């Protein structure tokens, strides 16, 4: 976007540096001068909030790793040692645990914002695909992190999810053993999950770098979905969006701090305060709330489809629910980006959001009675939305007239 | 008028920016400190920073080695001969001059309490050995006398006496 | 025009996220088939909650004289008992208390030595199997974090409010209820066809109702040492169970008071800082139509 850099090195040292490694020029172009649509609303601050969340998780995680021992005999007590004995350990541990939940709150909002405003459409498909990869990696990281306290939910969550691999025909059992490092969840599993839980956040951080790089090629989408046409459509990123994003971060920290300091365990399960025991299964095994929508889809397939048995079917459905997000840019072919100008889409989108909440709720319910029926209905709508509704709407819907530019839209709003 | 109003509004704005920045800096500092402080010894470590030890079981002429803050500590019940030998040494013969009285607690002359790491490079010296009836460090050949003072060899200092006191005649508290 | 649209979508997203976070985690908790657990008025609940030192001291007495003969507490160190925010016994009291216990120590002569403040509470049994054998096959769970390992499933809309009140005392409520939930005989309220196995006891609140632990407390079973404030409390089952549940909550969450006090300052700071940030942002954007 900013081929014409405004940076002129002020001193000889800056000039020297600029000729060799133009980091200051880069920072000025991409963190300060970067032209950003001036009509972004607060849903656009969640990108910055997510960067903060990742930073919080990495910093607190590195600290926790200094005091933690990944061994089946010691892990549970090591986490308690952190809570009880390490200076400020209770707060740091709670920040990491609550932080995972807050991360997903922000992640889901960020994704739904993208889905509503059509931020995945050309020329931003790669941004979206990288984002989906970040989401999938974050799910994997969070899941492995939940194993580390070595409570009952940790153990049984790992057992249940690792059995997913055994659904793969022929080689499933071998893959499961490969993943677990044994015939059941045990010390090798805990050790490798710890190693990967430490590694993946840095991989995520690298992909976040690519995500932002890809964003800085076409620049931001915006609430009206009309591309930037002239310089008066934009403001420099700094100070306008740096301050707005910082404000949003501070605001986001308020509920974050509420949970950390006043209800650090409310988002978790009491069962995880019981040390892992391979002989006793808790009455209800439920993943953390942020994995529930996909857990519901996994459970919803309780019937065989042709030669695919129900177990494999569930795994395919759950995997499909994630992987399908990758092709959304080509499922929704509507020329109009923003849902604001799509009268039909809006309703289906609202229903999709409600449906997603329902999937979350159902994941926490026992798989019996009316719940299994609802789970099937909601799973069906999840897939219908992407595979049928989006493509069909793109053809039949008549969008509302678009403003010609961001500036026109902004002025219209100001005078309305 | 116009310039004046503009001026005061600029001032107000600057004040707001400075205040926000200052509050933010305070917040950042308040976040950073616990992240550093967690590196300090934790409560379970601090709880063992001070230990008590009953010396009554050590017969005269023998030592025991106990652990304190992760370091071995010699507690020696010295014989009268050892004490006299240590006291007979003129300070001018010493590399790191200290009197025997400075290395023990008054009234408990027979008890010598020292961190058991050679002041050269940290090996544990062997007891009742060396040329001065004290300790001998086999790593690099340092000789200590019966008060644990360095007499010959590469070690620069006497064996270190940890902070300790007699809680009663037979109970010492180290640390 | 756009404003109204934005509002519409804003509401959807807010509702969706709030509902997702809220709906999901709660209904999973809690025991099956237990009767409704009454909430108690805990001093440590809420933003300004703190432990009642005298209550914790009484609870400790009940724990030590009754519970500790079968239940361990291997994460509680003696020194914790003198830390601020807890029962706050004096360091001398704790030292004397610890010395009454024999601690296994491979480096000590004979393999055991007298306890010191830094030691953790020794378990009454050498291992789980020994514990089972001594208790008719039931394993008395360790008490260290038990108050947080138990929960209560609140009905709608109570559990929604919990997120805003930060109510985390379900475990203490459950322990209190359990201790008061014994019946000498299987009551009429029992599930149809319920049969009590030999060596088990009927409890309203225990999952499945058949608990291996005999009623541990009864009116008058512990004679309280008068507290420092000289206030005497009734020596009843109700009082014992409340006190010991409070003690167990402290044992599970020893830094609760400090955590909440810090949290209050942090929240005040964040609200102030958010206000300043908002003013700064508005001022900055004042000249821009957006």
């Amino acid at each position: 976007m900013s081929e014409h850099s405004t940076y002129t090195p002020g001193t000889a040292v800056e000039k020297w540096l600029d000729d060799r490694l133009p980091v200051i020029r880069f920072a000025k172009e991409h963190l300060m001068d970067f032209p950003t649509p001036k009509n972004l609303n607060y849903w656009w601050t969640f990108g910055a909030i997510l960067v903060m969340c990742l930073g919080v998780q990495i910093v607190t995680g590195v600290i926790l790793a200094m005091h933690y021992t990944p061994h089946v005999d010691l892990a549970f007590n090591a986490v308690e040692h952190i809570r009880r004995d390490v200076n400020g350990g209770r707060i740091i541990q709670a920040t990491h645990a609550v932080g995972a939940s807050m991360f997903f709150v922000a992640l889901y909002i960020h994704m739904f914002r993208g889905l509503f405003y059509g931020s995945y459409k050309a020329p931003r498909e790669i941004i979206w695909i990288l984002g989906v990869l970040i989401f999938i990696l974050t799910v994997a990281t969070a899941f492995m992190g939940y194993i580390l306290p070595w409570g009952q939910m940790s153990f049984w969550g790992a057992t249940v999810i690792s059995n997913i691999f055994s659904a793969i025909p022929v080689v499933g059992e071998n893959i499961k053993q490969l993943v677990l490092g044994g015939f059941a969840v045990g010390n090798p599993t805990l050790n490798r999950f710890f190693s990967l839980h430490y590694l993946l956040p840095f991989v995520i951080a690298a992909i976040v770098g690519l995500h932002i790089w890809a964003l800085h090629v076409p620049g931001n989408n915006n609430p009206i979905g009309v591309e930037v046409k002239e310089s008066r459509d934009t403001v420099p990123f700094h100070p306008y969006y740096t301050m707005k994003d910082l404000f949003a971060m501070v605001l986001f920290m308020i509920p974050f701090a509420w949970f950390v300091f006043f209800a650090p365990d409310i988002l978790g399960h009491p069962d995880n305060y019981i040390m892992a025991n391979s002989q006793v299964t808790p009455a209800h095994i439920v993943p953390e709330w942020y994995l529930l929508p996909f857990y519901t889809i996994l459970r919803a397939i309780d019937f065989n489809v042709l030669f695919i048995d129900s177990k494999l079917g569930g795994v395919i459905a759950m995997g499909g629910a994630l992987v399908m997000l990758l092709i959304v840019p080509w499922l929704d072919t509507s020329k109009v980006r923003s849902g604001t100008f799509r009268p039909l889409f809006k309703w289906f989108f609202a229903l999709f959001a409600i449906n997603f909440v329902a999937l979350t709720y159902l994941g926490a319910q026992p798989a019996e009675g009316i719940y299994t029926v609802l789970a099937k209905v909601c799973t069906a709508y999840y897939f219908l939305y992407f595979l049928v509704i989006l493509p069909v709407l793109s053809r039949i819907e008549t969008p509302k007239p678009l403003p010609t530019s961001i500036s026109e839209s902004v002025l219209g709003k100001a005078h309305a | 008028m116009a310039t004046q109003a503009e001026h005061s509004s600029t001032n107000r704005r600057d004040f707001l920016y400075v205040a926000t920045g200052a509050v933010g800096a305070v917040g950042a500092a308040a976040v950073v400190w616990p992240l550093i402080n967690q590196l300090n010894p934790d409560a379970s470590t601090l709880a063992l920073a001070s230990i008590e030890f009953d010396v009554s079981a050590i017969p005269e002429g023998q030592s025991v080695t106990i652990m304190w803050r992760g370091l071995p500590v010699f507690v020696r019940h010295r014989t009268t001969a050892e004490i006299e030998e240590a006291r007979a040494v003129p300070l001018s013969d010493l590399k790191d001059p200290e009197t025997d009285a400075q290395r023990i607690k008054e009234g408990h002359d027979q008890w010598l309490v020292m961190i058991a790491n050679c002041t050269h490079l940290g090996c544990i010296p062997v007891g009742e050995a060396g040329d001065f009836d004290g300790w001998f460090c086999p790593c690099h050949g340092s000789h200590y006398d019966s008060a644990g003072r360095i007499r010959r060899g590469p070690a620069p200092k006497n064996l270190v006496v940890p902070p300790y006191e007699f809680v009663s005649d037979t109970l010492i508290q180290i640390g | 025009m756009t404003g109204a649209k934005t509002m519409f979508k804003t509401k959807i997203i807010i509702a969706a996220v709030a509902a997702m976070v809220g709906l999901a985690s709660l209904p999973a908790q809690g025991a099956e088939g237990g009767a409704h657990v009454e909430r108690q008025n805990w001093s440590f609940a809420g933003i300004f909650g703190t432990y009642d030192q005298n209550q914790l001291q009484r609870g400790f007495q009940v724990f030590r004289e009754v519970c500790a003969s079968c239940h361990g507490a291997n994460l509680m160190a003696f020194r914790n008992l003198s830390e601020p925010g807890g029962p706050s016994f004096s360091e001398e009291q704790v030292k004397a208390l610890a010395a009454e216990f024999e601690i296994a120590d491979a480096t000590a002569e004979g393999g055991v030595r007298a306890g010191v403040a830094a030691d953790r509470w020794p378990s009454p049994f050498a291992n789980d199997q020994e514990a089972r054998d001594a208790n008719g096959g039931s394993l008395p769970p360790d008490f260290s974090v038990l108050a947080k390992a138990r929960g209560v499933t609140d009905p709608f809309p109570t559990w929604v409010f919990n997120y805003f009140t930060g109510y985390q005392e379900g475990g203490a409520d459950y322990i209190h209820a359990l201790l008061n939930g014994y019946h000498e005989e299987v009551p009429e309220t029992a599930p149809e066809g319920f049969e009590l196995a030999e060596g088990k006891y009927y409890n309203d609140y225990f999952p499945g109702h058949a608990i291996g632990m005999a009623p541990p407390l009864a009116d008058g079973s512990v004679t309280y040492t008068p507290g420092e404030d000289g206030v005497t409390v009734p020596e009843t089952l109700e009082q014992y169970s409340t006190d010991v549940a409070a003690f167990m909550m402290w044992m599970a969450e020893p830094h609760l008071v400090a955590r909440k006090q810090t949290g209050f300052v942090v929240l005040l700071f964040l609200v102030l800082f958010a206000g300043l940030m908002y003013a700064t942002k508005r001022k900055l954007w004042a000249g821009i139509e957006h």
Side-chain angles (χ1 to χ4, degrees):
Chain A
M1 283 299 280
S2 45
E3 288 82 8
H4 306 290
S5 177
T6 56
Y7 175 67
T8 38
T11 64
V13 176
E14 285 176 44
K15 172 95 175 65
W16 182 88
L17 182 65
D18 195 52
D19 289 341
R20 285 158 182 82
L21 183 69
V23 278
I24 302 178
R25 179 182 299 275
F26 180 83
K28 189 164 187 321
E29 280 175 25
H30 287 281
L31 300 176
M32 299 182 72
D33 296 346
F34 190 73
T36 312
K38 60 186 187 179
N39 61 337
L40 300 187
N41 57 35
Y42 274 99
W43 299 119
W44 259 264
T45 60
F46 281 89
I49 288 171
L50 281 165
V51 170
M52 174 183 82
C53 285
L54 183 60
V56 167
Q57 292 305 89
I58 288 179
V59 169
T60 54
V62 167
I63 288 172
L64 293 175
M66 294 177 187
H67 303 279
Y68 172 78
T69 315
H71 186 281
V72 290
D73 293 337
L74 305 170
F76 183 84
N77 286 2
V79 175
E80 272 303 315
H81 161 71
I82 293 169
R83 291 198 184 98
R84 285 158 185 269
D85 293 335
V86 173
N87 301 309
R90 182 64 176 113
I91 306 302
I92 295 169
Q93 183 273 328
T95 305
H96 196 72
V98 171
S101 279
M102 300 308 287
F103 201 138
F104 277 95
V105 168
L107 205 41
Y108 282 129
I109 294 177
H110 193 60
M111 292 170 76
F112 273 86
R113 189 270 286 159
L115 285 173
F116 181 79
Y117 290 108
S119 299
Y120 45 80
K121 293 188 185 186
R124 296 185 180 82
E125 302 96 320
I126 303 255
I127 309 175
W128 173 260
I129 289 169
L130 289 169
V132 174
L133 288 180
I134 292 169
F135 173 64
I136 293 172
L137 281 175
T138 308
V139 167
T141 308
F143 170 72
M144 288 190 274
Y146 196 59
I147 308 306
L148 304 184
W150 205 242
Q152 276 286 66
M153 279 294 176
S154 304
F155 181 87
W156 290 101
T159 300
V160 168
I161 298 301
S162 61
N163 269 312
I164 284 178
F165 292 102
S166 68
I168 302 168
V170 189
V171 291
E173 202 57 38
N174 294 356
I175 292 180
K176 183 185 146 191
Q177 287 175 16
L178 183 79
V179 169
L180 296 183
F183 303 107
V185 176
N187 202 49
T189 322
L190 178 60
N191 264 288
R192 63 190 59 189
F193 279 14
F194 176 57
S195 172
L196 293 174
H197 182 71
Y198 203 119
L199 169 71
L200 285 183
F202 297 100
V203 177
I204 292 173
I207 302 182
V208 167
L210 295 178
H211 188 63
I212 297 172
W213 185 5
L215 170 71
H216 277 215
V217 177
N220 292 78
N221 182 29
N222 66 77
I224 60 165
V226 175
E227 290 289 345
V228 168
K229 294 212 169 78
E230 48 188 342
S231 66
R232 70 190 185 103
D233 287 349
T234 65
V235 289
F237 189 75
H238 178 77
Y240 295 99
Y241 281 107
T242 42
M243 289 318 282
K244 188 172 177 179
D245 285 349
L246 280 169
F247 165 61
M249 287 182 201
V250 175
L251 214 54
F252 187 78
M253 275 190 255
I254 292 174
F256 196 151
W258 167 263
F259 283 118
V260 168
F261 289 100
F262 296 110
D265 296 318
I266 211 165
L267 297 166
H269 300 288
D271 277 325
N272 229 28
Y273 275 105
I274 303 170
M275 190 169 154
N277 181 347
S278 55
Q279 292 166 30
V280 182
T281 308
H284 295 286
I285 302 179
V286 181
E288 292 292 85
W289 70 266
Y290 41 80
L291 303 181
L292 288 173
F294 301 98
Y295 187 63
T296 306
I297 293 173
L298 173 74
R299 290 196 312 188
I301 312 299
D302 55 4
F303 46 87
N304 297 346
V305 184
L306 303 176
F307 59 92
I308 300 170
D309 67 20
S310 55
K311 182 172 174 178
L312 180 60
V315 174
I316 291 173
M318 185 179 75
L322 290 168
V323 173
M324 194 175 52
L325 294 172
L326 293 171
I327 55 165
V328 167
W330 295 277
L331 294 174
D332 178 8
T333 52
S334 168
K335 291 275 183 298
V336 174
R337 283 203 187 88
S338 173
T340 312
F341 301 102
R342 301 180 61 186
L344 287 174
F345 167 86
K346 230 159 41 185
W347 291 106
F348 286 104
F349 178 82
L351 189 56
F352 178 73
I354 294 165
N355 185 66
F356 198 69
V357 175
L359 283 170
T360 310
Y361 177 75
L362 291 168
Q365 302 311 313
E368 58 195 30
I370 182 73
Y371 295 126
T372 54
V373 180
L374 285 172
K376 289 193 183 90
V377 172
C378 292
T379 301
Y381 184 74
Y382 181 94
F383 284 98
L384 274 178
Y385 177 78
F386 288 113
L387 296 176
V388 177
I389 295 172
L390 284 186
V392 169
L393 275 186
S394 307
R395 284 160 205 273
I396 62 166
E397 189 177 41
T398 316
K400 292 186 195 166
L402 293 178
T404 53
S405 74
I406 292 172
S407 296
E408 185 211 278
S409 145
V410 163
L411 288 173
K413 192 169 90 186
H415 298 145
Chain B
M1 285 296 279
T3 40
Q4 218 170 27
E6 207 169 87
H7 191 68
S8 82
S9 111
T10 312
N11 273 346
R12 253 204 318 272
R13 193 171 63 211
D14 287 350
F15 173 75
L16 179 64
Y17 291 171
V18 170
T20 309
V23 172
V26 170
V31 168
V32 167
W33 171 239
L35 299 182
I36 295 169
N37 189 38
Q38 55 83 20
L39 292 164
N40 271 317
D42 63 48
S44 61
T45 307
L46 291 177
L48 288 168
S50 167
I51 61 166
E52 286 185 349
F53 180 69
D54 185 355
V55 297
S56 59
I58 309 172
E60 190 172 301
Q62 296 213 7
S63 323
V64 296
T65 308
I66 59 173
M67 293 302 290
W68 171 71
R69 295 189 183 178
L71 299 174
V73 171
F74 290 140
V75 181
R76 178 159 183 83
H77 191 168
R78 298 190 296 177
T79 61
T80 323
E82 284 172 347
I83 299 170
E84 279 167 8
E85 189 187 339
R87 299 208 161 159
V89 181
L91 279 187
S92 54
D93 282 5
L94 297 173
K95 198 173 182 180
D96 177 17
E98 262 186 313
T99 64
D100 185 62
Q102 281 174 296
R103 300 189 46 85
I104 48 102
K105 299 290 175 197
E106 206 182 331
H108 305 282
D109 301 16
Q110 69 274 42
W111 297 109
L112 187 60
V113 179
M114 305 179 300
I115 292 174
N117 293 111
C118 180
T119 57
H120 180 221
L121 292 169
C123 295
I124 299 179
V126 180
E128 293 167 42
D131 298 349
F132 299 91
D133 297 328
W135 285 265
F136 171 69
C137 181
C139 289
H140 308 96
S142 292
H143 297 256
Y144 297 91
D145 68 11
S146 59
R149 296 174 295 195
I150 181 65
R151 300 298 290 275
R152 200 169 69 223
K157 296 281 183 187
N158 302 332
L159 288 174
V160 175
V161 176
Y164 75 97
E165 58 189 34
F166 279 82
V167 181
S168 73
D169 268 355
T170 55
L171 194 65
I172 56 170
Q173 184 184 349
I174 309 179
Chain C
M1 286 291 283
T2 356
K5 299 289 149 58
T6 316
M7 286 292 289
F8 166 77
K9 165 194 68 247
T10 305
K11 278 179 201 151
I12 290 177
I13 303 192
I14 289 179
V17 170
M20 270 177 70
V21 178
L23 288 170
S25 58
L26 221 120
Q29 314 174 351
E32 272 184 0
H36 174 65
V37 173
E38 286 294 326
R39 280 190 179 185
Q40 304 299 308
N41 194 14
W42 302 109
S43 67
F44 43 86
I47 301 185
F48 300 107
T50 78
Y51 291 115
D52 172 349
Q53 184 191 337
N54 289 307
Q55 182 174 47
L56 293 191
Q57 294 198 356
R58 292 194 302 270
F60 172 68
Q61 202 190 339
V62 176
F63 166 70
R64 193 187 170 194
E65 292 181 14
V66 181
C67 319
S69 50
C70 297
H71 293 273
N74 61 27
L75 293 169
M76 180 182 73
F78 291 106
R79 62 185 158 82
N80 296 140
L81 290 164
S82 61
E83 282 165 5
S88 306
F89 289 107
S90 72
E91 286 186 23
E92 288 70 36
Q93 282 173 307
V94 168
K95 216 163 116 178
L97 172 76
E100 292 176 33
F101 289 81
E102 271 192 349
I103 306 290
D105 183 346
T107 67
E109 230 174 291
V112 289
R113 57 171 172 77
V116 297
D119 287 317
R120 296 185 189 275
W121 190 268
S123 293
F125 302 105
N127 53 54
D128 282 1
Q129 195 50 49
E130 198 179 289
R132 282 180 202 280
D133 293 345
N135 288 283
S138 302
L139 177 67
D142 187 272
F143 270 13
S144 309
V145 288
L146 197 67
K148 292 198 292 186
R150 296 290 180 269
V152 173
T153 310
D154 287 308
F156 182 86
T158 317
W159 58 259
V160 179
F161 300 145
N162 288 349
Y163 290 94
F164 298 95
T165 57
Y167 193 79
Q168 296 230 280
E169 282 68 39
D173 288 332
Y174 170 78
I175 291 164
H176 170 267
L178 183 91
L179 290 170
N180 287 285
Y182 281 93
H183 290 269
E184 285 185 20
E185 285 168 16
V186 176
E188 284 176 11
T189 51
E192 214 167 307
F194 183 87
E195 276 193 41
L196 199 60
E198 188 156 344
K200 300 280 183 184
Y201 302 85
Y202 189 90
N203 192 297
D204 284 337
Y205 302 97
F206 191 73
H209 297 299
I211 187 170
M213 173 172 70
L217 292 164
D219 289 352
S221 55
V222 176
T223 307
Y224 275 140
T225 316
E228 276 162 36
D229 55 0
V231 177
T232 54
V233 294
E235 290 170 353
T236 59
L237 171 60
E238 170 65 26
Q239 186 68 39
Y240 298 144
S241 54
T242 313
D243 291 347
V244 83
F247 175 73
M248 286 172 69
M249 191 68 209
W250 167 78
M251 196 159 32
E253 194 69 33
H255 302 308
L256 175 141
V257 176
R259 188 187 82 214
K260 289 186 175 179
Q261 283 169 350
T262 312
F264 186 68
V265 177
V266 169
L267 275 191
L268 271 187
F269 173 85
L270 283 176
V271 170
L272 167 77
F273 190 37
L276 276 172
M277 288 294 298
Y278 183 65
T280 302
K281 184 249 155 196
R282 284 213 25 139
K283 205 122 222 170
L284 197 62
W285 280 80
I288 310 270
E289 293 214 62
H290 62 283

